[in-house]
Amino acid sequence: MKRLTAENVTAGLLFIFLIFYPLMASAYNVLNMSYFLSMVFLSLSLALIWGLAGIFSFGQTAFFGIGGYSYAIISLNLDIPDITFIVLISALLIAGIAAWILGYFIFYGGVNDVFVGLITLCVTLVLATFMSQTAGSQWKIGSVPLGGDNGINNIPSISIGNIISFERNYLYYLILIVLVVVYLLLRKISHSKSGYKLIAVRENRERSELFGYNIPLIQTMVFTLGGVLAALSGVFYVTWGGYISPSSMGITAAALPVVLVAAAGRKNLTAVILFTIIYYMFSQYLSVTGSEYALVVLGFTLVVVILLVPQGVFASLFQLLDRLLFKKK
Amino acid sequence: MSNTIEERKKEKKNQTTQKVLELKDLSKDFGGLRAVDEVNMVVNKGELRCLIGPNGAGKSTIFKLIMGLYPPTKGSVLFKGQELVGLPVWKRARLGISIKMQIPGVYGELSLYDNLRIAGQNFIPPIKIDSEIDRLVHLVGIENLGNPIVKNLSHGQQQWLEIAMALASNPELLLLDEPAAGMGPEETEFTAQIIHKLSEKGITIIFIDHDMGFVRRIAQKVTVLHYGKLFAEGTIDEIETNEEVIRIYLGS
């Protein structure tokens, strides 16, 4: 990872920029950037399971929702702001268990390729539909009403004791630190023995099994890790806005990570991070300055990118720069 | 004196580990078709055995039954005395059985060394993997290929790489399904040399081939299959002069 490549240089510059960003930008922009960064984990979860392990999931937002809702329901029920950090961990655990159970039935059942995409899409849509009909007062867990389409409000922020409460710049730096750690971890995994296991699963499952790889186990494990990462996104999102609703799991939300990861270059983690941040910045800019056209412009741009550079725009760009600047073959 | 002790040791070793592979009443039905019909076969340690037979005789199916790619309809597969039926494919691979299938199964999008790393990393400690890959590349004799993306290699080169990949697990039993299929005379000769070299290293090898010249060049013992049944077994000379075998091959 110490090698000088376009990808590493970009990642270094990006993180340096993000570290100093609060010194340069307004409080409003830092708040927005916290939101963008919290959504990066969702893209990373898909880059991990799809880009690296070849499992195409259309339902990472299901785990985003499970993470977000779990955090909301547990923290509001407990109503002890000092221990929300532990609630964060429990929310991740719940999402991890959910992902493991779903993954177990999918992969040990021998389901693969496009059918994984269909099942995960169904799961996320079922969850979204179910949550949106929970408007009545009979739908509550503990003392927390689920709120149907309106979702849950006033979700507390993450705190460790009464020492530190992660709001505003604190939340920004918490998310950034976790992002750097997750990024370095994933980079390390992808170049390790485990990384080659995932590549073996992605490239040819039947052949890899003949080399002694326990394919369903590897798939279930990476799917679980992906679920936890997506849930991390969900928790950061709800603590950022204090709010979660079923639309965060709906079809639009579910499709977005797939499109982002495909457009960025699904095998390249740095490309995925950069593209996700730029997408959300652009989308914010359009929705503030533009009108109804914003989403159309956005969708059109993504279609063009995917058509012109099927390998992903940033992944291809990194390769080109490597050839030009670093004489890498 | 030392000679006899060594011989005795060898004999003792032979008695305990002699049978590497034993098939007992092995059968496989596909729908109403019996592809493999009550085959009984023993392959001893260090043997270089060839399976021959007309198309559809069940040769490849036997390989797939040994690896666990199909469950057998009946019978059992013993590897060093251990029952394999019921074990998943990956566990059989870890026990020390390796296969090179008829259709090349290399990872086309990856580099040559990454192919070997994936093939070997379940069997080789991480510190040794680089030196071990180098050893394999030299053993098979493909060091002059460098480290290209594998889909750019020729058909023959991919076959050799696949033999190297099958060896990365340091197998006790190596199954080769038509290792020289689609190769020119020079490539076939090179492949024969590779198989000889491996056999000399003590690896038990079973291979399938149609080319009798190639079989004569390398095999010690030949098993003939016909309509899923074991038809004849013997040295290459016995087989080639067996009138029944000639009849099924040439048609009556």
Side-chain angles (χ1 to χ4, degrees), chain A residues 192-197 199-200 202-216 267 329, chain B residues 67 69 88-90 93-94 99-101 105 107 109-110 114 117-119 121-123 147 162 165-166:
Chain A
S192 71
K193 186 178 169 182
S194 310
Y196 275 98
K197 282 187 188 176
I199 294 171
R202 178 186 75 202
E203 292 297 319
N204 189 340
R205 289 186 303 274
E206 289 79 11
R207 191 71 186 100
S208 299
E209 196 173 7
L210 292 166
F211 291 127
Y213 292 92
N214 186 349
I215 305 292
K267 291 177 189 171
K329 159 168 96 83
Chain B
M67 282 315 298
L69 294 167
V89 175
W90 65 273
R94 295 216 175 185
I99 185 170
K100 190 210 87 64
M101 309 251 257
Y107 303 101
E109 300 296 322
L110 305 180
D114 278 352
R117 180 177 297 269
I118 288 176
Q121 71 167 3
N122 282 330
F123 306 91
N147 191 22
E162 236 203 309
M165 287 165 76

Side-chain angles (χ1 to χ4, degrees), chain A residues 58-59 102 105-106 111 114-124:
Chain A
F58 220 119
L102 182 63
F105 283 109
I106 291 178
V111 178
V114 70
F115 298 102
V116 178
L118 291 178
I119 292 178
T120 47
L121 178 63
C122 288
V123 167
T124 193

Side-chain angles (χ1 to χ4, degrees), chain B residues 58-126:
Chain B
K59 308 178 296 290
S60 296
T61 309
I62 287 185
F63 272 16
K64 286 174 180 168
L65 289 169
I66 295 171
M67 282 315 298
L69 294 167
Y70 304 138
T73 308
K74 202 177 96 175
S76 64
V77 180
L78 300 174
F79 176 65
K80 296 193 294 179
Q82 185 187 350
E83 175 64 80
L84 292 184
V85 174
L87 288 184
V89 175
W90 65 273
K91 271 195 183 157
R92 300 183 196 212
R94 295 216 175 185
L95 287 174
I97 311 174
S98 212
I99 185 170
K100 190 210 87 64
M101 309 251 257
Q102 206 168 348
I103 308 153
V106 291
Y107 303 101
E109 300 296 322
L110 305 180
S111 71
L112 189 143
Y113 278 77
D114 278 352
N115 266 267
L116 286 164
R117 180 177 297 269
I118 288 176
Q121 71 167 3
N122 282 330
F123 306 91
I124 306 164

Side-chain angles (χ1 to χ4, degrees), chain A residues 3-116:
Chain A
R3 287 217 326 274
L4 208 57
T5 62
E7 183 188 0
N8 292 342
V9 171
T10 310
L13 290 177
L14 176 68
F15 285 124
I16 290 170
F17 170 78
L18 288 173
I19 288 167
F20 292 108
Y21 186 71
L23 303 178
M24 305 179 273
S26 67
Y28 171 76
N29 282 333
V30 175
L31 204 62
N32 278 333
M33 187 58 91
S34 309
Y35 164 58
F36 307 155
L37 292 184
S38 68
M39 299 312 280
V40 168
F41 297 96
L42 188 58
S43 299
L44 280 180
S45 84
L46 194 62
L48 170 69
I49 65 171
W50 186 26
L52 211 52
I55 300 165
F56 176 62
S57 164
F58 220 119
Q60 290 313 95
T61 46
F63 304 112
F64 178 95
I66 290 173
Y69 269 102
S70 302
Y71 180 87
I73 292 164
I74 299 173
S75 61
L76 287 171
N77 265 312
L78 285 175
D79 200 21
I80 313 168
D82 288 356
I83 60 159
T84 41
F85 200 77
I86 299 166
V87 177
L88 171 127
I89 292 165
S90 352
L92 297 184
L93 263 176
I94 292 171
I97 291 168
W100 189 84
I101 293 171
L102 182 63
Y104 177 84
F105 283 109
I106 291 178
F107 300 116
Y108 280 86
V111 178
N112 273 302
D113 302 322
V114 70
F115 298 102
V116 178

